[in-house]
Amino acid sequence: MRHTLVLAALLAAVLQSFAAGSGTALPAAETTAKPAADPRSAQVYFIWPHEGTVISGGKFWVRMGLRNMGVAPKGTALPNTGHHHLLIDTELPSMTEPIPNDRNHLHFGAGETEARIELPPGTHTLQLLLGDMNHVPHKPPVVSKKITVTVR
């Protein structure tokens, strides 16, 4: 799936370049923080870890899944796509503004579907929120269940 989206983004860039050379203008990507439409059946979820997972050492891989939408890097204007944001030990942010970028809101704007993170010992909550090309949650929001993991 990830390779298909990368190819679609490359094709869009080639078409844009071709149109620029022919004098035909193609629509530019929007730069406002306006949420993109998404399918009502879209789901974002954790492949790993699962609810209640006990993690030794603090460093672990988070694997993120998405159904009925595609993953695309930030700034990519493809319909029904977005990129993952991992919320750690926090509540959901505003659904009408860009998702914050800090230690509690990790952005995966390159289109990553997995990441190695490190958490201190203790109990932590994790939640996924899909953002559009401008890091704004979709309308309606595509958000996972909140899970709890324990780091030892």
Side-chain angles (χ1 to χ4, degrees), residues 36-61:
D38 69 311
R40 297 261 174 206
S41 62
Q43 294 178 324
V44 64
Y45 57 94
F46 288 99
I47 297 170
W48 201 89
H50 303 284
E51 169 65 31
T53 298
V54 176
I55 299 159
S56 297
K59 288 185 182 181
F60 62 100
W61 284 94

Side-chain angles (χ1 to χ4, degrees), residues 70-87:
V71 175
K74 68 181 177 183
T76 303
L78 291 174
N80 300 319
T81 64
H83 60 277
H84 293 287
H85 296 82
L86 176 61
L87 284 54

Side-chain angles (χ1 to χ4, degrees), residues 103-114:
R103 66 185 183 92
N104 297 102
H105 304 84
L106 304 183
H107 287 231
F108 299 102
E112 301 96 330
T113 57
E114 59 183 18

Side-chain angles (χ1 to χ4, degrees), residues 33-38 69 81-83 85 87 92-100 105 107 128-143:
K34 182 177 130 189
D38 69 311
M69 283 186 72
T81 64
H83 60 277
H85 296 82
L87 284 54
L92 289 171
S94 166
M95 295 293 125
T96 59
E97 298 177 16
I99 299 164
H105 304 84
H107 287 231
L128 295 171
L129 176 59
L130 199 69
D132 69 10
M133 62 183 270
N134 297 310
H135 305 286
V136 177
H138 292 80
K139 193 172 184 177
V142 182
V143 61

